[in-house]
């Protein structure tokens, strides 16, 4: 299972969201679970809740996704870098042919976008 945390999910994890905490635990403890945090979304989460970036980046089982050239070009076409980098990170790759699911506490943000969403508010 490949999951991308968007900025809202990262901020929620820092506030004790049980579902976000379970994802973090699974990524650390269970084989086949992968949790990604796009750098642009991580920065936005840290703006909303200072300390989030350092905390999440230090956790085992979490992979911070850099803003490489391909991601930068994709992000440049959108208004918000956090959402754009999350969407880019969820797209299929050779390592993730089915792409990844975006975990979020703002599922409405993703309405009409070509991504699968995991609602962390339920």
């Amino acid at each position: 299972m490949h999951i991308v945390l968007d900025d809202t999910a990262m901020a929620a994890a820092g506030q004790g969201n049980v579902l976000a905490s379970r994802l973090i635990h699974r990524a650390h403890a269970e084989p086949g679970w992968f949790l990604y945090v796009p750098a642009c979304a991580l920065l936005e989460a840290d703006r909303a809740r200072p300390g989030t970036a350092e905390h999440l980046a230090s956790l085992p089982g979490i992979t911070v996704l850099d803003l490489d050239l391909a991601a930068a070009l994709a992000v440049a076409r959108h208004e918000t870098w956090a959402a754009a980098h999350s969407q880019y990170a969820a797209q299929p790759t050779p390592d993730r042919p089915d792409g990844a699911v975006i975990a979020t506490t703002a599922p409405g943000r993703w309405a009409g976008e070509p991504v699968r969403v995991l609602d962390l508010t339920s």
Side-chain angles (χ1 to χ4, degrees):
M1 180 60 106
H2 297 275
I3 300 172
V4 173
L5 296 178
D6 76 357
D7 56 308
T8 68
M10 291 181 220
Q15 295 172 329
N17 180 291
V18 174
L19 296 175
S21 295
R22 285 182 188 164
L23 290 176
I24 292 167
H25 173 73
R26 282 193 161 162
H28 172 64
E30 295 183 30
W33 281 79
F34 302 94
L35 202 56
Y36 306 98
V37 293
C40 291
L42 185 61
L43 291 173
E44 201 58 42
D46 197 70
R47 284 183 184 165
R49 184 171 168 73
T52 299
E54 289 175 342
H55 175 70
L56 285 173
S58 71
L59 294 174
I62 291 188
T63 302
V64 177
L65 301 175
D66 294 331
L67 186 65
D68 60 13
L69 177 58
L73 293 173
V75 165
R77 296 182 189 110
H78 292 85
E79 285 185 32
T80 63
W81 286 30
H85 199 188
S86 297
Q87 182 175 342
Y88 174 80
Q91 299 308 305
T93 66
D95 294 339
R96 298 185 307 271
D98 294 328
V101 176
I102 295 180
T104 184
T105 60
R109 163 197 278 182
W110 301 104
E113 297 294 338
V115 295
R116 295 174 292 157
V117 172
L118 175 61
D119 184 352
L120 298 182
T121 61
S122 301

